[in-house]
Amino acid sequence: MAGGTERHLLDLLAGIDGFEHTVVAPRLHLGESTDAAIARARALGAIAEVVDMRRSPSPTNAGALRTLRALIGRARPDVIHGHSSVGGAFARLAALGSARPVVYTPNGIMRTPWTLAVERLLARRTDRFIAVSESEASFALKRGLTDETRLAVIPNGIDPEPPPRLSPTLRSRLGVPAQAQLVGSLGRLAWQKAPEVYVGVCARIAAAVPDSHFLLIGEGPAERRVSRKVSRAGLDDRFHRLASLPDAASAMPDLDLYVMTSRFEGFPYTVLEAMRAGIPVVATAADGTRDAVVDQVTGLLAPIDDQRAVAEAAIDLLRDRGRREALGAAGRERVVERFNVGAMVAATATVYRSLIDSSPRDSKPTAMTGDDSELGALRR
């Protein structure tokens, strides 16, 4: 119940008509309370169940599975939907023996050998695998995590209308001079997002663009490493850190450039938000990201883990305002035309209904869904 997966789930709760939703969430996500996310789910009309679950192997998880099985027995859902890797595992294990069709949306497939082995085993209990990007779908097919008959590609989407601009502005909050160029990035400080690469990119930009400032929004296990790297690069006065910014989408217009250095993604919302705001994107050509950013058209792509290539692309754009504006305008048009939250919600509802229509009906129509350590139920 955090980040893009939380957002994806809440968008489904808000947008799918004709279903009653019951979300089952963990008490904690990476040590942080999920209370706020659960409150948002309830505000959208969902029933919310809280179950003590763990991301890592734990005796607690056996009890969680028993609780989830009991919920399935009571709710008698027509469809069960697991979101993210751990939530997907809970969903599919809890559904064993229930004869209920199961949908799984990984929102970024974990790439370790053991997680892929688990995914292949659980694929037998997955009736629909929803990839949120074409590149995620390709990866899943190549690794045997699903097959063409069970695969659906439903890209993430956002509201084409941008939110009101942040007030007071992000620049004023951070104390960034009006004439300075502000480069930003948002993501969990973990290996997947490569925040240390982002700091290295910023150091190279700082040497070439004297009036540049940098922003990194996020927290996670790499925080100390990031802080040390910032200090060693001599960026302390120009590098701004925020643990979180709930209204980050409203702050996108304050940036001159959005940079993402991820090693893999499902389909990153922050890139879509930057493009919607007309802010050009420089990113690594990771799965998911390259589905959003068209190289040389809506932004620039560079090889994964290549600090120099990312920095050079960013420096070129910071020195060329006309090109930044052209890429930004093309990015805004691409988001409006192709990545609409309404289309995402409608396509997911179609998956639910197709499974309901093809399954034995022994109860009122229902469906179920879940996040990183979370399972939910959607009752029609």
Side-chain angles (χ1 to χ4, degrees), residues 180-185 197-215 233-235 238-239 256-261 280-283 300 306-319 324:
Q181 299 199 75
L182 182 58
V183 177
S185 188
V197 174
Y198 175 68
V199 178
V201 168
C202 293
R204 290 175 181 271
I205 296 173
V209 184
D211 66 344
S212 55
H213 277 242
F214 311 97
L215 170 66
L235 294 176
R238 299 163 64 182
F239 197 98
D256 292 286
L257 192 65
Y258 187 81
V259 173
M260 174 169 274
T261 54
V281 176
V282 173
L300 302 179
D306 192 334
Q307 290 184 20
R308 176 174 295 183
V310 176
E312 288 177 353
I315 292 166
D316 285 346
L317 289 187
L318 290 173
R319 288 173 171 170
R324 289 203 310 274

Side-chain angles (χ1 to χ4, degrees), residues 99-279:
R100 309 289 175 178
V102 179
V103 180
Y104 172 45
T105 304
N107 280 294
I109 301 167
M110 298 291 289
R111 306 303 173 95
T112 64
W114 76 270
T115 55
L116 292 175
V118 171
E119 291 282 5
R120 280 189 285 271
L121 288 173
L122 292 175
R124 302 172 188 175
R125 192 60 185 92
T126 309
D127 296 279
R128 286 291 187 279
F129 184 108
I130 296 180
V132 296
S133 63
E134 291 286 353
S135 55
E136 183 175 66
S138 177
F139 181 88
L141 289 171
K142 288 178 181 177
R143 296 304 180 99
L145 310 187
T146 188
D147 57 48
E148 292 280 3
T149 65
R150 293 178 291 168
L151 176 66
V153 181
I154 305 177
N156 285 340
I158 62 175
D159 187 337
E161 289 298 320
R165 189 163 182 171
L166 192 66
S167 181
T169 67
L170 181 64
R171 285 173 175 266
S172 64
R173 295 184 188 193
L174 299 176
V176 175
Q179 72 278 9
Q181 299 199 75
L182 182 58
V183 177
S185 188
L186 188 156
R188 186 164 177 267
L189 306 188
W191 181 86
Q192 175 196 348
K193 304 292 186 178
E196 76 287 355
V197 174
Y198 175 68
V199 178
V201 168
C202 293
R204 290 175 181 271
I205 296 173
V209 184
D211 66 344
S212 55
H213 277 242
F214 311 97
L215 170 66
L216 178 58
I217 303 171
E219 53 189 349
E223 287 184 43
R224 291 185 179 179
R225 183 180 181 189
V226 166
S227 295
R228 288 195 298 268
K229 194 172 180 76
V230 169
S231 294
R232 285 198 297 267
L235 294 176
D236 291 296
D237 294 338
R238 299 163 64 182
F239 197 98
H240 309 273
R241 284 275 314 279
L242 294 174
S244 65
L245 185 64
D247 43 7
S250 298
M252 284 294 181
D254 280 339
L255 302 179
D256 292 286
L257 192 65
Y258 187 81
V259 173
M260 174 169 274
T261 54
S262 297
R263 295 180 168 103
F264 69 91
E265 289 285 343
F267 197 73
Y269 280 104
T270 58
V271 165
L272 297 182
E273 289 172 345
M275 291 166 63
R276 180 181 60 187
I279 304 303

Side-chain angles (χ1 to χ4, degrees), residues 168 225 284 371:
R225 183 180 181 189
T284 48
D371 176 8

Side-chain angles (χ1 to χ4, degrees), residues 343-359:
M344 180 196 83
V345 167
T348 306
T350 297
V351 169
Y352 291 167
R353 293 188 175 101
S354 69
L355 291 171
I356 290 171
D357 291 343
S358 61
S359 299

